[in-house]
Amino acid sequence: MSEVRSPVLPAAAPVVNPDTAEFWKATAEGTFLGRRCGDCEAAIWYPRPICPFCHSSNTRWEEFTGRGAVYSYSVVHRAGGAWKGVTPYVLAYVELEEGPRVMTNIVDCDVDAVAIGDAVEVVFEDTGEGSALPRFRPVQSSEEVGQA
């Protein structure tokens, strides 16, 4: 279970529907859920009841580790709306240990130091409406932890 904290970046409440309600409820508790297909065993992201690989409806909720690696990223320097005052920030795809790739933000980092392959872990930023957005931060090495 990860922490649920106040947002550093804008954290708009998601649209919750019957297919995603369990996921969003879990985020508020600091748990990262995904789905797994009972037929082909594929890990599924985004959470939905039908497997996008074999089209089976035999899917189940599973707690994902919340760990992964930066697959691709971009540092955003110009933005509008609620995002205008928080630049620069990192928009990224994180490849989860379970396999799927998640579009997200990398937070708690030096935006100029982010690199493809960096190990990351999920943190949750409270939307204030009963859900939290999963974002990822770099995993500190054991050397960094000792220096902190």
Side-chain angles (χ1 to χ4, degrees):
M1 179 140 55
S2 280
E3 65 186 298
V4 177
R5 62 196 196 166
S6 296
V8 175
L9 297 173
V15 175
V16 179
N17 63 49
D19 292 339
T20 62
E22 188 75 20
F23 172 80
W24 292 115
K25 179 180 177 219
T27 64
E29 299 166 358
T31 302
F32 191 62
L33 294 181
R35 292 191 75 92
R36 184 162 304 272
C37 179
D39 291 339
C40 73
E41 291 302 314
I44 301 167
W45 184 262
Y46 65 91
R48 53 191 177 260
I50 297 176
C51 177
F53 305 103
C54 74
H55 308 290
S56 171
S57 60
N58 179 21
T59 63
R60 65 187 179 279
W61 288 107
E62 177 179 300
E63 186 173 343
F64 284 3
T65 64
R67 293 187 301 268
V70 175
Y71 177 78
S72 179
Y73 73 96
S74 180
V75 177
V76 178
H77 292 277
R78 298 178 73 180
W83 293 83
K84 186 175 185 176
V86 297
T87 58
Y89 62 88
V90 179
L91 180 64
Y93 273 107
V94 166
E95 187 167 314
L96 302 174
E97 284 184 348
E98 292 79 7
R101 295 181 188 133
V102 177
M103 182 177 272
T104 187
N105 296 110
I106 307 298
V107 296
D108 299 342
C109 66
D110 173 352
V111 299
D112 295 323
V114 173
I116 291 172
D118 285 353
V120 292
E121 63 188 357
V122 73
V123 292
F124 295 95
E125 293 187 354
D126 189 4
T127 65
E129 296 190 29
S131 61
L133 297 180
R135 291 182 168 145
F136 289 77
R137 67 179 170 205
V139 174
Q140 292 184 340
S141 70
S142 56
E143 289 177 8
E144 291 173 5
V145 172
Q147 295 172 2

